[in-house]
Amino acid sequence: MVGARPSVLAPTPLARRVIDAGPVLALVALAAVFSLLTDRFLTAGNAGSIADQTAILLVLAAGATFVILLGSIDLSVEGVMATSSLVAVLLAANDRNGNDLGYLAVLGGVGVGALFGLVNGLLHTRLRIPSFMVTLGTGAIGTGIATVLFGGQPPRMLDEGLRLWGTDRVLGVSRLALLALAVLLLGYLVQRYTRVGRTILLVGGDEQIARLAGLPVARYKVWAFVLAGSAAGLAGVMAATRLGVGDVQIGSGQLFATITAVVVGGTLLSGGRGGVLQTLVGALLISVLANGLILVGVDPAIQRSVQGVVIVVAIAATVWTQRRRTRVVK
């Protein structure tokens, strides 16, 4: 009798289209409201500012999307960003040592992120430790490593070529925003056209069926964490080029924003539905909301509360149609 319930309670095609279009409609509605509240919102300069504000968040969220598509979570974002930013700065020309590896420093920062992702994936799959516990621990390890590298004084990045990536603009848009778009495109191609991306979606939809089909589930789970870690590493480097320093607190506040962007965009926390294009909409929603609240003069402390309300409402909306099919809520 349990098997008959889903077909009765499944949303109609029209309801499904409305649910899928919800984040886009919310983005348009937000933009319309802020345009009415202040004439400083709908300008080319402010659009460029929103793109800049979205860049690092979009890279983080695009990577985290692969882990959340599994039904898992990665809480190591802030620790990975801190370590990657310091490794990149200390490998590039800086005021702390004699290193000057140029763009290889970027690869070093991204490589550190990928290594964290690999450790997360292996611990999660081999030892069967819940992903939130593993990544919470490795995130703390990352913060500890960054604190040692920090050494009480933030190292300054002196490589002018790398600094231009954080400060220069092309056609009114920062280089970091263009880089974020390239990462988004790469993420979409991986999700849509590679075996890794398609299998991650299948595993998130029903892991048991994926195992019965003979898919190496553990291997693809590790891939998802490596992709997320690499993205967090790149985000740390991007933040370092923008600020010109490596810092333990460089990723502070990004964890909450990252998960919010993925979930608000329409990717289910339970996995199996969503993707990086939906994450783009979610990241824009967060940035437009933050930008608009600043322009209308809302207190920054209240902005965080508003973000919290948004994520709770978004989660409630996405699980509403599945609430009776969920047998146990832990």
Side-chain angles (χ1 to χ4, degrees):
M1 298 304 289
V2 173
R5 275 182 171 270
S7 61
V8 175
L9 297 174
T12 63
L14 178 59
R16 172 56 58 197
R17 289 194 187 94
V18 172
I19 292 171
D20 290 342
V24 176
L25 296 176
L27 178 60
V28 173
L30 264 183
V33 168
F34 286 128
S35 300
L36 292 174
L37 292 176
T38 172
D39 56 5
R40 293 184 295 163
F41 180 81
L42 205 58
T43 64
N46 193 47
S49 297
I50 292 173
D52 293 349
Q53 293 168 14
T54 309
I56 292 175
L57 173 60
L58 180 58
V59 170
L60 285 169
T65 301
F66 289 98
V67 173
I68 294 179
L69 279 173
L70 288 173
S72 300
I73 198 79
D74 186 349
L75 304 180
S76 65
V77 166
E78 295 177 358
V80 174
M81 280 188 72
T83 304
S84 297
S85 73
L86 281 154
V87 167
V89 171
L90 291 173
L91 290 178
N94 64 88
D95 64 352
R96 180 75 64 80
N97 57 43
N99 292 332
D100 187 6
L101 299 184
Y103 285 100
L104 288 178
V106 176
L107 293 180
V110 176
V112 166
L115 182 60
F116 269 96
L118 179 63
V119 171
N120 284 337
L122 289 176
L123 290 176
H124 172 54
T125 56
R126 305 301 179 189
L127 300 183
R128 295 185 177 276
I129 304 174
S131 57
F132 81 92
M133 185 60 72
V134 170
T135 55
L136 192 63
T138 54
I141 293 171
T143 302
I145 294 173
T147 303
V148 173
L149 295 174
F150 185 72
Q153 182 70 26
R156 290 190 302 134
M157 180 180 284
L158 303 179
D159 188 311
E160 290 301 322
L162 292 179
R163 288 286 286 123
L164 278 178
W165 277 93
T167 57
D168 194 29
R169 304 178 75 83
V170 179
L171 300 176
V173 180
S174 71
R175 289 191 184 190
L176 293 186
L178 297 176
L179 177 59
L181 281 178
V183 171
L184 178 79
L185 176 61
L186 181 62
Y188 174 72
L189 294 175
V190 169
Q191 179 200 322
R192 183 73 175 81
Y193 296 107
T194 70
R195 179 175 295 182
V196 171
R198 293 194 296 267
T199 305
I200 287 173
L201 203 58
L202 285 173
V203 172
D206 196 320
E207 185 171 333
Q208 285 302 109
I209 290 180
R211 289 186 187 280
L212 291 173
L215 294 174
V217 172
R219 182 193 307 168
Y220 290 107
K221 281 188 170 183
V222 172
W223 267 112
F225 281 97
V226 170
L227 289 171
S230 302
L234 178 59
V237 177
M238 291 167 70
T241 61
R242 174 176 286 173
L243 300 175
V245 296
D247 198 326
V248 179
Q249 299 298 323
I250 207 162
S252 180
Q254 292 289 358
L255 173 60
F256 184 75
T258 299
I259 296 174
T260 303
V262 177
V263 175
V264 169
T267 297
L268 291 180
L269 275 172
S270 55
R273 190 165 70 84
V276 294
L277 292 185
Q278 287 91 332
T279 295
L280 169 63
V281 177
L284 285 172
L285 263 169
I286 300 301
S287 297
V288 166
L289 181 63
N291 177 271
L293 291 174
I294 291 172
L295 291 182
V296 298
V298 174
D299 190 288
I302 298 177
Q303 293 175 28
R304 191 67 179 269
S305 300
V306 172
Q307 277 190 336
V309 171
V310 168
I311 191 170
V312 170
V313 171
I315 292 173
T318 52
V319 303
W320 181 257
T321 58
Q322 302 182 0
R323 65 194 187 283
R324 293 186 182 177
R325 283 183 287 171
T326 304
R327 298 174 183 174
V328 179
V329 178
K330 297 183 179 178

